[in-house]
Amino acid sequence: MTDTLPVRARIGWGVAALIVAAALLPAAAASAAEETKPDQQGVAPAEPVPGGFRTWEDLSEAQTRLNTAADDILSVSSPGYAGTIAAPENGELQIYWKGQVPADAQERAARTGVPVRFLPARFSEAELAAEVDRLGADPRVATAAPNVDGSGLAVSVTSDADRDAIVAQAAVPLTVTVERKPDLLFDRQNDVSPYWGGARWTNLSTGGGCSTGFSVNWAGAPRMLTAGHCGSNGNTVRIGNATQPNTTITADVNARDTQLLNRPVNRTFAGRIYTGAWNSSSSIRVGGSAVDYVGNWICTGGSYSGEHCNAKVYAVNTSVLGMAPMTYAAKVPGVPAAGNCVAAPGDSGGPVYSHGLFINKWPNFEIAALARGTITAGYLDTPCLSQGVWKTGSYRVFYAPVRRPFFGPYVGSLTFYGATLM
């Protein structure tokens, strides 16, 4: 099957034929008319709550407080800014800054109402981003990510010789790891309209398959955000099984690993994503988006391996296989143990998200998803339960963020496209 994929797809993971969400709607019931799907309230993940918090709501509230404070502090041009750790279990923001922290930034920090600690950095975010871009363009470099404390970069290569060569030409301090390159993540399966994120879609032009990400409005029409390596502009694709109509790919941007699926005729997209296992029909409303900060807790959701939470952000603005800016996260604990996976083949393009509180109708609150990004790559090194069978997945994941801080060297997918979440 990989022989039918485009060149850039052939370096990725193989595609498997999966049946997801079979309980959602029998295939024979699909028609050109709008199908009925449950608009149930979102529920918290079934996994244990990380970070020592009692409930997912407590974790969400603490993380949202810190992230909102960080957004406020970085809401204007911030020369010298290097990075932020917003780990809710720490109970404070740790912000690294090269040189003197401007008085206005300190004033904004004081107004946030959360503990903020400014720490010295050797390099600024902008300086490290320039080096990430330079090294990321080198074919010997698999990944390049700025250290959140502004001390330099963490780089991965595939050989000792490449390590020595990269270190010799480095403009900033490097921590270099020799390991295999990340694999592009290919491959919930019978989705019906209104389509949700985290479902399987098939590229009929190549025979490959990936996962849908987030429904967005772009250029006056609804589209579905997904991974760019899953196809090319004009390819014929289908969301769900053969009872569903075909559509096409547009706005494919390889350097960001993003693209958009056009809305099929007589079908719609909805602002929801699947939750739960690979064959689940449960979902959660998308209530907004969030910027990634190191220390944040996130979840992933793909059509092959389902939902995985308890993953932590370890780096932002990361170059992966020449693409930038990616966010790097890993399942905690960070070991390739059976079941400790965060993504698997076929999950590419699937949603990365965190949980927040969403006002449905005052005074009721609903748990909603905050969009973080779309899955791009991981390492094939971890036993992962996919479609009820043990296969190889990854406890680490790289994803294309939908948002970045307002002032910074990069923009997220929403800003790049000029799109809004549905």
Side-chain angles (χ1 to χ4, degrees), residues 367-382:
I367 295 175
L370 297 176
R372 295 299 192 118
T374 48
I375 296 171
T376 284
Y379 295 88
L380 285 169
D381 57 7
T382 303

Side-chain angles (χ1 to χ4, degrees), residues 47-259:
E47 296 183 57
V49 185
F53 288 89
R54 184 177 60 86
T55 66
W56 284 96
E57 290 86 350
D58 291 344
L59 169 58
S60 171
E61 289 177 0
Q63 183 158 288
T64 299
R65 265 197 313 274
L66 293 181
N67 284 16
T68 300
D71 289 345
D72 291 342
I73 295 168
L74 303 175
S75 60
V76 300
S77 182
S78 305
Y81 168 74
T84 296
I85 296 178
E89 61 269 30
N90 292 344
E92 67 173 10
L93 277 177
Q94 299 168 8
I95 301 180
Y96 291 88
W97 212 284
K98 178 184 178 181
Q100 183 66 36
V101 180
D104 61 338
Q106 297 189 53
E107 291 171 0
R108 291 194 300 275
R111 291 197 299 265
T112 63
V114 304
V116 179
R117 186 153 53 104
F118 289 101
L119 300 164
R122 182 174 176 182
F123 299 97
S124 69
E125 180 184 51
E127 291 171 330
L128 293 182
E131 188 66 359
V132 165
D133 286 344
R134 188 184 71 82
L135 287 178
D138 191 316
R140 296 170 297 185
V141 174
T143 67
N147 297 329
V148 69
D149 63 0
S151 60
L153 301 184
V155 175
S156 70
V157 297
T158 58
S159 71
D160 292 337
D162 288 346
R163 176 191 58 199
D164 296 340
I166 293 300
V167 170
Q169 63 164 331
V172 300
L174 301 182
T175 301
V176 184
T177 302
V178 178
E179 61 180 334
R180 64 178 294 168
K181 286 187 175 182
D183 302 276
L184 294 171
L185 305 181
F186 287 97
D187 213 20
R188 314 182 208 323
Q189 270 58 338
N190 297 309
D191 198 18
V192 294
S193 175
Y195 301 111
W196 298 339
R200 184 174 190 267
W201 66 272
T202 304
N203 189 326
L204 301 176
S205 297
T206 66
C210 284
S211 300
T212 53
F214 295 100
S215 302
V216 299
N217 287 303
W218 177 70
R223 325 270 179 162
M224 182 67 75
L225 183 66
T226 187
H229 68 258
C230 297
S232 303
N233 287 331
N235 283 174
T236 301
V237 305
R238 182 180 63 232
I239 302 172
N241 60 33
T243 66
Q244 299 301 298
N246 298 341
T247 186
T248 55
I249 291 172
T250 189
D252 178 23
V253 182
N254 294 346
R256 300 183 62 86
D257 195 41
T258 55
Q259 62 186 2

